[in-house]
Amino acid sequence: MSKEKSKAELLKEQLFMEKKHAALIMSEAEIAACDDFCESYKDFLDRSKTEREAAKTAITLAKEEGFREYTAGMPLKAGDKIYYCNRGKAVILAVIGTEPAEKGVHLAAAHIDSPRLDLKQNPLYEDNDIALFKTHYYGGIKKYQWTAMPLALHGVAVKKDGTKVELCIGEDENDPVFFVSDLLPHLAQEQVKRTLAEGIKGEELNVVVGSRPFRDDDVSEKVKLNILAVLNEKYGLTEADFLSAEFEMVPAFKAKDVGFDRSLIGSYGHDDRVCAYTALEAILGCDKVNKTAVVCLTDKEETGSDGNTGLCSAYLKNFLHDLADSFGVKGRTLISNTECLSADVNAAFDPTFPDVVEKRNAAFLNKGVVVTKFTGARGKSGTSDASAEFVGRVRALMENNNIVWQTGELGKVDLGGGGTVAAYLANLDMDVIDVGVPVLAMHAPYEIVAKTDVYMTYKAFCAFLNE
Ligand code: MN
Ligand code: MN
């Protein structure tokens, strides 16, 4: 017979919080559902390596579920499923609820842009029989991480006559890939003395794109000419078309299970497609909702949310106003009664680098969806800091729906920092809190998430949007 628990043990059980590994809380059936869900997530990742591709995939999936394109003024009724695409780079989806619009909506917002290497406007040059592209990196990267690995080229060029040429090279098994070179260690005696930040400099992120000359002795820059000849023959491009293009170099890897136990997923772009996909799947599964459910998949978060497809622009606010108009309600009323889960990843505790976080308040892999009350840096600068009331609301939501969840903070007080779109949404006058998936090696070309956390984040969005 087991020993009876002491008074102190019982009291401790009653009063202490316990953080358990999600896999010890979930049933076997739920773990199987979780692993299944992550198979489709990996597929989404491989199909959606840029903001444009993620927007396109989201719209394709939404149309399959009966969502139709929304234009302002369109009559709406409960049960309607609509989407709005902002310039091909951001998407808003909504399922109209039965509750009156003045009660606000349930909004989840995630971003679909990820750090990468953008091509400059005049990218192509030749140097000693090697053709290269100049790049300007996008978002916060550790530049040295982007060398010596296969890269794929994704993006679009707009020709003078307005026609678009879309490229995606490096993803098919038979495609060529591209490459940023790094120095061999033997000749890096000076380079290794640079700081890690300077190990590879911005202007050294040059992508090798070819090395075979055009067979004609009369011209100079024969390798560059040969590259342009290939691009012209295959895609109808000329050098001037790069001026009006958005080409992005991204890691050519596919999303894969990581670990003997396959408990983790390695991929480019988990930040923030892991929150985008979980929020998207949650709204795609919405049928009849009480409160109108809205999911916003935005662009430009990694460069500060400015620009017409970023959340500092008015596009989401305008959409919510249009929605309110459709029901004869003031936009400001709808917005100020709106509750929002700002969906973004948080840093997962890394056993190799324990010193950067304060363990009692850090997020851990497999401990569930992370709820982050505040972001910001050194004195919460730049945060929207969710109210105790709203955190209490979200806490109840998690616990009433058996969602494994944890709280998180982005690093030690004097060390950490970072922001999400939460503050810009809160500035519109709605209740906002950050939720999302903990990530190892965030912003690296290959990031890691735990499958249970992905699934718990999906469950959190389902519970919130269907409440
Ligand atoms: Mn993010
Ligand atoms: Mn990020």
Side-chain angles (χ1 to χ4, degrees):
M1 230 178 88
S2 61
K3 194 174 132 262
E4 221 171 82
K5 284 178 183 165
S6 74
K7 198 178 162 196
E9 279 171 325
L10 287 169
L11 195 62
K12 197 175 166 189
E13 259 175 36
Q14 189 192 339
L15 299 181
F16 276 34
M17 278 193 308
E18 199 192 359
K19 278 190 203 163
K20 267 193 184 167
H21 193 292
L24 295 175
I25 300 171
M26 297 161 74
S27 67
E28 283 198 18
E30 193 171 35
I31 292 174
C34 155
D35 290 349
D36 253 14
F37 181 85
C38 288
E39 289 305 306
S40 348
Y41 172 47
K42 284 187 286 180
D43 184 55
F44 175 82
L45 284 167
D46 293 340
R47 290 165 68 187
S48 316
K49 287 198 174 180
T50 67
E51 67 285 10
R52 284 176 192 268
E53 290 169 2
K56 204 178 198 174
T57 311
I59 291 170
T60 305
L61 295 174
K63 280 182 171 167
E64 285 169 16
E65 295 299 325
F67 283 71
R68 59 201 170 93
E69 192 165 11
Y70 173 71
T71 44
M74 191 185 266
L76 292 173
K77 57 174 191 323
D80 282 352
K81 300 175 176 187
I82 53 169
Y83 75 87
Y84 164 77
C85 182
N86 179 6
R87 297 170 170 88
K89 300 181 186 185
V91 184
I92 306 173
L93 303 106
V95 176
I96 307 301
T98 48
E99 276 187 16
E102 62 257 35
K103 294 223 174 146
V105 305
H106 278 160
L107 168 67
H111 67 93
I112 48 177
D113 60 319
S114 297
R116 61 188 191 237
L117 307 180
D118 282 347
L119 295 200
K120 292 193 187 191
Q121 281 191 285
N122 291 300
L124 181 60
Y125 67 104
E126 170 179 343
D127 195 336
N128 284 281
D129 291 341
I130 297 180
L132 301 113
F133 277 158
K134 292 298 294 178
T135 65
H136 194 139
Y137 63 95
Y138 173 99
I141 62 167
K142 289 162 97 175
K143 294 181 277 268
Y144 71 89
Q145 291 181 332
W146 290 70
T147 64
M149 61 161 184
L151 295 169
L153 175 71
H154 293 234
V156 59
V158 177
K159 296 175 71 70
K160 206 169 66 176
D161 65 4
T163 54
K164 272 188 190 177
V165 180
E166 282 180 47
L167 297 190
C168 176
I169 305 166
E171 299 296 344
D172 188 272
E173 262 322 293
N174 300 311
D175 278 356
V177 292
F178 309 96
F179 178 84
V180 175
S181 170
D182 194 0
L183 259 184
L184 61 166
H186 319 64
L187 293 181
Q189 307 304 320
E190 291 305 316
Q191 185 201 24
V192 296
K193 290 181 197 154
R194 298 182 187 175
T195 63
L196 202 55
E198 291 258 290
I200 291 287
K201 299 175 187 174
E203 295 296 352
E204 291 169 345
L205 288 170
N206 302 319
V207 184
V208 174
V209 298
S211 68
R212 198 171 280 180
F214 193 83
R215 289 167 69 89
D216 183 333
D217 284 342
D218 294 337
V219 295
S220 60
E221 298 185 281
K222 288 192 275 288
V223 177
K224 174 177 168 177
L225 178 64
N226 197 43
I227 297 294
L228 282 171
V230 171
L231 288 173
N232 190 259
E233 190 200 334
K234 284 197 154 174
Y235 313 106
L237 293 174
T238 65
E239 188 174 22
D241 293 329
F242 282 99
L243 297 173
S244 46
E246 285 177 309
F247 285 130
E248 307 174 9
M249 285 284 176
V250 298
F253 319 127
K254 298 254 183 280
K256 293 235 177 202
D257 286 349
V258 172
F260 292 114
D261 58 6
R262 297 181 166 259
S263 60
L264 308 159
I265 304 169
S267 174
Y268 164 66
H270 282 309
D271 176 10
D272 188 31
R273 293 183 195 120
V274 69
C275 297
Y277 182 70
T278 46
L280 173 67
E281 278 298 315
I283 196 162
L284 295 185
C286 282
D287 209 12
K288 288 197 173 93
V289 287
N290 297 324
K291 207 163 257 194
T292 294
V294 179
V295 165
C296 176
L297 306 178
T298 194
D299 179 33
K300 290 285 180 284
E301 193 276 343
E302 296 295 357
T303 50
S305 293
D306 287 315
N308 54 17
T309 52
L311 269 190
C312 287
S313 100
Y315 83 92
L316 174 65
K317 183 179 155 188
N318 290 346
F319 176 87
L320 295 174
H321 273 265
D322 290 343
L323 209 59
D325 285 347
S326 293
F327 294 97
V329 171
K330 272 193 178 155
R332 51 163 293 183
T333 313
L334 179 145
I335 290 173
S336 59
N337 289 320
T338 284
E339 290 181 324
C340 173
L341 299 184
S342 160
D344 209 341
V345 296
N346 201 323
F349 174 81
D350 187 333
T352 307
F353 302 101
D355 296 339
V356 298
V357 297
E358 185 267 292
K359 261 185 163 176
R360 285 172 194 81
N361 285 284
F364 293 80
L365 289 180
N366 285 303
K367 296 279 166 73
V369 52
V370 191
V371 176
T372 307
K373 185 178 182 294
F374 54 86
T375 57
R378 290 164 287 278
K380 296 190 176 180
S381 168
T383 183
S384 52
D385 210 347
S387 70
E389 288 85 349
F390 193 51
V391 183
R393 243 293 274 132
V394 171
R395 180 182 153 200
L397 176 83
M398 299 293 175
E399 286 172 11
N400 295 338
N401 290 284
N402 299 316
I403 294 158
V404 184
W405 72 289
Q406 57 183 328
T407 56
E409 188 183 25
L410 207 56
K412 277 184 176 162
V413 174
D414 288 333
L415 256 188
T420 64
V421 298
Y424 313 123
L425 294 161
N427 290 347
L428 294 175
D429 181 26
M430 55 176 76
D431 274 308
V432 184
I433 193 163
D434 275 300
V435 303
V437 176
V439 178
L440 265 193
M442 194 197 293
H443 283 208
Y446 216 56
E447 307 172 309
I448 303 284
V449 299
K451 289 181 179 177
T452 60
D453 299 326
V454 177
Y455 192 66
M456 286 301 156
T457 304
Y458 165 64
K459 265 184 84 174
F461 292 132
C462 287
F464 176 62
L465 297 179
N466 284 295
E467 211 181 11

